[in-house]
Amino acid sequence: MFDALSYQAAPAGKMNLPPTAEEEEPDDEDLPAGYEKTSFTSRRKQRDPEMKLHEEIQILRRHVNDLSKKHSNLVTEKQIAEEKAERATERLTEMKSAMNSGMTDIERDTESLARDLKKIKEENQTLREQLKDAQAHIFSLQPYRKDLTSEEIGREYDALVESVQDWVQKFMEPWLEDPTEGVEAMMNAARKRGAETSKFKRILQQYPDLVHACQFPETDEDIVASIIMRYLYDNIFQVILYNDIPKYTEIVSFIENHMQMSVEPKRDLFSVRTWTAEAFNALLSSPPFRSVRERRRKDMTVELCSMLRIFCKKEKLPWFYENMENNCVTPAMQLYEKLQVSTHHFYLDINPYIMWSSGGELNGSPEFIDSIANLDCRNILQNRKAFNVNKIDPQPTKKELYHRLLNVCTVVPSLYMRQIGQRDAIKEPIVVRKQQMLVAWGTEEKRRSFMENGDRTLVSHLFASKSERIGEGWISRWA
């Protein structure tokens, strides 16, 4: 450091310092009068030499002070810079520490997230497996059921009826093209094939309304079609799984009853019906039942053909059997099996409204007139035109209906649906298809004229082949 005292102690001597402003000698021409250079010179010479030394020391002190101030300022600035550097270093250290800490936290969080993600994936996989198991369990517990609509079943029933009627028209056509030749050929066949004729007559005797219908012209095809439909009704639609596996169906019935009566909580009708549909579906789908179905198909085809075999020539028997199976038996079985897996209850019903009396006479039922609104009636006196009481103007009274409306026969059974609701709610059955009937609506003169001008039916010739008197008695009874 610069020492001002040592500087002051230096030996006095001539120093080559520049003259100060006070020491400069002014030009004579710039000085006023009386102050010429000569006067200044004489004064300077008179000054004390110590004065000059003192002035020089003062000048040096000022320089020293200036340098000291500068040094002090530099020291202060250095300290400030060092403090700033320290603070910057501390800040940088803090930032590095924070950054390292942040990176550590991020790494730690990343590792934690990775562990959580792995755990979530494992849980998700576990939940997926549990969901699949639950779905499989629910599906296994869910009963098999089909909510068949009345429209769908109605269309399929119409298709069955149309198939039967078309087939009957086809195999009866050779006999009915020429009524005279047809009757002659049928009587010759009846004499040669007495067993077949007798069997047909026994079948017809079971249905008094069809015996009644054979007295009216143009009813041969309706009678034969009705015989087929009633056979399908009795042997397919009115039995449980063709009456061929009674042991299994009895078990199903046993379980049904005890589901409603014995178990706790008791099952409602909807649950029972749904379970029954599943049970029947299992039986119908089982491999052993295929042979049962096929055997019953063949047996029913053979039995049905034997009932009507008198209408088929011997050389056409294979064709007759094959078409009877394809057009009648098989479609009926398919429709029946479809109904068994339905939650709702579909069923057929038939009421001929004509019966045998104890004396062997045909009697009409008074219920026929009361049920006319629920019947699909076709008037044979008007070329099978639909008969609707509500469309007759003026509407006939009940007395007029008794006298002018004659029940000829029932051709096709009716189809009903009883809808099964939740719990034990059972709705009233609805008519899906009305019972098809032939009627004669008109005066007594119109009925007599229709019967006298028409050809006697082939069926009436067969049925009365040994007793024409009985046939005439029927005609006089119902004419």
Side-chain angles (χ1 to χ4, degrees):
M1 182 178 285
F2 186 83
D3 191 356
L5 295 177
S6 63
Y7 184 83
Q8 290 178 354
K14 186 67 173 179
M15 300 184 66
N16 294 325
L17 295 173
T20 62
E22 296 176 349
E23 295 175 334
E24 289 184 359
E25 296 181 359
D27 288 324
D28 291 342
E29 11 180 87
D30 293 331
L31 297 174
Y35 295 92
E36 291 83 358
K37 183 176 179 184
T38 53
S39 61
F40 278 104
T41 304
S42 59
R43 287 180 188 176
R44 190 183 311 130
K45 290 178 180 180
Q46 294 175 2
R47 286 179 183 173
D48 190 2
E50 294 180 359
M51 202 65 180
K52 290 182 179 180
L53 179 62
H54 178 74
E55 289 177 357
E56 291 177 359
I57 292 172
Q58 291 297 325
I59 293 171
L60 291 172
R61 283 181 178 176
R62 284 196 296 271
H63 280 288
V64 169
N65 290 335
D66 291 338
L67 291 173
S68 178
K69 288 180 180 178
K70 290 180 179 180
H71 179 266
S72 177
N73 291 337
L74 290 172
V75 171
T76 303
E77 290 177 358
K78 178 186 177 184
Q79 292 176 348
I80 293 172
E82 289 176 351
E83 291 177 358
K84 288 183 177 179
E86 289 178 0
R87 287 197 298 269
T89 303
E90 291 176 358
R91 179 62 179 161
L92 182 61
T93 304
E94 291 176 357
M95 291 177 66
K96 287 183 178 180
S97 176
M99 185 178 294
N100 292 333
S101 177
M103 290 299 294
T104 304
D105 292 341
I106 290 173
E107 292 175 356
R108 191 162 48 246
D109 293 342
T110 303
E111 292 176 358
S112 177
L113 288 173
R115 289 193 299 271
D116 293 343
L117 180 60
K118 183 179 179 181
K119 184 178 180 182
I120 289 172
K121 286 183 177 180
E122 292 175 353
E123 291 178 353
N124 185 39
Q125 183 64 27
T126 303
L127 290 173
R128 283 179 179 273
E129 293 175 357
Q130 291 177 354
L131 178 61
K132 289 181 181 179
D133 292 342
Q135 288 175 338
H137 184 63
I138 291 171
F139 182 78
S140 66
L141 294 176
Q142 182 179 4
Y144 180 84
R145 48 180 294 213
K146 261 192 174 182
D147 288 331
L148 300 175
T149 63
S150 58
E151 292 79 9
E152 179 182 358
I153 298 302
R155 288 192 298 269
E156 295 196 21
Y157 186 60
D158 291 340
L160 170 63
V161 173
E162 184 178 356
S163 178
V164 170
Q165 292 176 337
D166 289 347
W167 162 237
V168 169
Q169 183 180 13
K170 189 174 184 178
F171 78 78
M172 290 290 290
E173 185 177 7
W175 303 101
L176 302 177
E177 280 181 335
D178 187 324
T180 302
E181 292 183 3
V183 169
E184 184 178 353
M186 178 59 68
M187 291 299 98
N188 289 333
R191 285 191 293 270
K192 295 176 182 179
R193 298 155 65 180
E196 296 173 4
T197 303
S198 299
K199 185 167 187 177
F200 175 76
K201 291 170 66 175
R202 287 196 303 272
I203 297 298
L204 191 65
Q205 182 76 20
Q206 298 175 13
Y207 308 118
D209 63 316
L210 300 184
V211 174
H212 176 239
C214 74
Q215 302 167 63
F216 292 84
E218 304 173 6
T219 58
D220 284 309
E221 292 180 2
D222 301 288
I223 293 170
V224 174
S226 183
I227 289 174
I228 294 175
M229 289 301 301
R230 296 183 197 204
Y231 177 85
L232 300 177
Y233 170 79
D234 291 333
N235 293 273
I236 296 179
F237 293 98
Q238 285 297 102
V239 297
I240 302 176
L241 300 186
Y242 315 121
N243 270 350
D244 208 87
I245 50 171
K247 180 173 66 175
Y248 297 98
T249 56
E250 286 172 6
I251 292 174
V252 172
S253 179
F254 175 84
I255 296 174
E256 275 183 339
N257 293 333
H258 286 280
M259 286 177 71
Q260 289 183 291
M261 305 298 296
S262 303
V263 299
E264 290 295 341
K266 292 180 175 59
R267 303 298 187 265
D268 58 25
L269 188 59
F270 181 82
S271 300
V272 173
R273 178 66 186 175
T274 303
W275 179 87
T276 304
E278 184 178 16
F280 279 153
N281 181 59
L283 290 173
L284 292 168
S285 303
S286 63
F289 192 79
R290 295 172 188 171
S291 59
V292 173
R293 181 187 295 113
E294 190 61 26
R295 184 177 67 253
R296 286 298 298 141
R297 190 198 318 275
K298 297 299 181 184
D299 291 347
M300 287 189 287
T301 299
V302 170
E303 187 175 2
L304 189 53
C305 287
S306 68
M307 293 163 54
L308 303 173
R309 190 168 174 172
I310 188 62
F311 295 102
C312 179
K313 296 179 180 180
K314 290 184 178 182
E315 61 270 18
K316 287 190 173 183
L317 282 178
W319 169 81
F320 190 64
Y321 277 68
E322 180 181 357
N323 281 276
M324 188 70 77
E325 177 181 335
N326 294 337
N327 293 287
C328 303
V329 178
T330 298
M333 295 177 72
Q334 291 173 344
L335 177 58
Y336 167 77
E337 292 184 12
K338 190 171 186 177
L339 298 183
Q340 302 315 299
V341 297
S342 170
T343 304
H344 306 304
H345 180 47
F346 290 89
Y347 61 96
L348 274 61
D349 192 22
I350 187 170
N351 187 348
Y353 298 105
I354 295 177
M355 62 201 75
W356 292 113
S357 68
S358 57
E361 296 181 348
L362 292 169
N363 290 331
S365 170
E367 295 178 0
F368 169 68
I369 300 299
D370 297 332
S371 306
I372 196 68
N374 294 322
L375 301 174
D376 180 11
C377 298
R378 306 301 172 96
N379 188 7
I380 62 174
L381 303 184
Q382 292 184 318
N383 197 25
R384 311 298 175 91
K385 181 180 179 181
F387 173 79
N388 190 336
V389 176
N390 297 325
K391 292 184 178 181
I392 299 177
D393 188 21
Q395 283 195 8
T397 63
K398 203 168 188 178
K399 184 177 180 180
E400 288 176 322
L401 290 174
Y402 273 114
H403 286 87
R404 297 181 60 187
L405 181 63
L406 181 65
N407 174 16
V408 177
C409 72
T410 296
V411 181
V412 178
S414 56
L415 174 64
Y416 291 88
M417 181 186 80
R418 186 181 291 274
Q419 192 171 1
I420 309 298
Q422 295 292 341
R423 300 186 183 278
D424 288 321
I426 304 177
K427 297 184 178 181
E428 288 295 321
I430 62 172
V431 180
V432 179
R433 290 294 183 268
K434 294 181 179 181
Q435 179 172 293
Q436 293 183 21
M437 305 192 67
L438 295 181
V439 298
W441 164 253
T443 60
E444 185 176 346
E445 290 75 15
K446 282 187 177 181
R447 293 202 299 270
R448 183 175 287 107
S449 174
F450 175 77
M451 297 181 68
E452 290 175 353
N453 296 328
D455 295 317
R456 184 179 173 184
T457 62
L458 199 64
V459 173
S460 69
H461 280 284
L462 277 174
F463 191 71
S465 57
K466 291 184 180 180
S467 181
E468 190 70 21
R469 182 181 61 79
I470 298 177
E472 292 175 353
W474 293 333
I475 294 175
S476 61
R477 166 69 181 79
W478 291 96

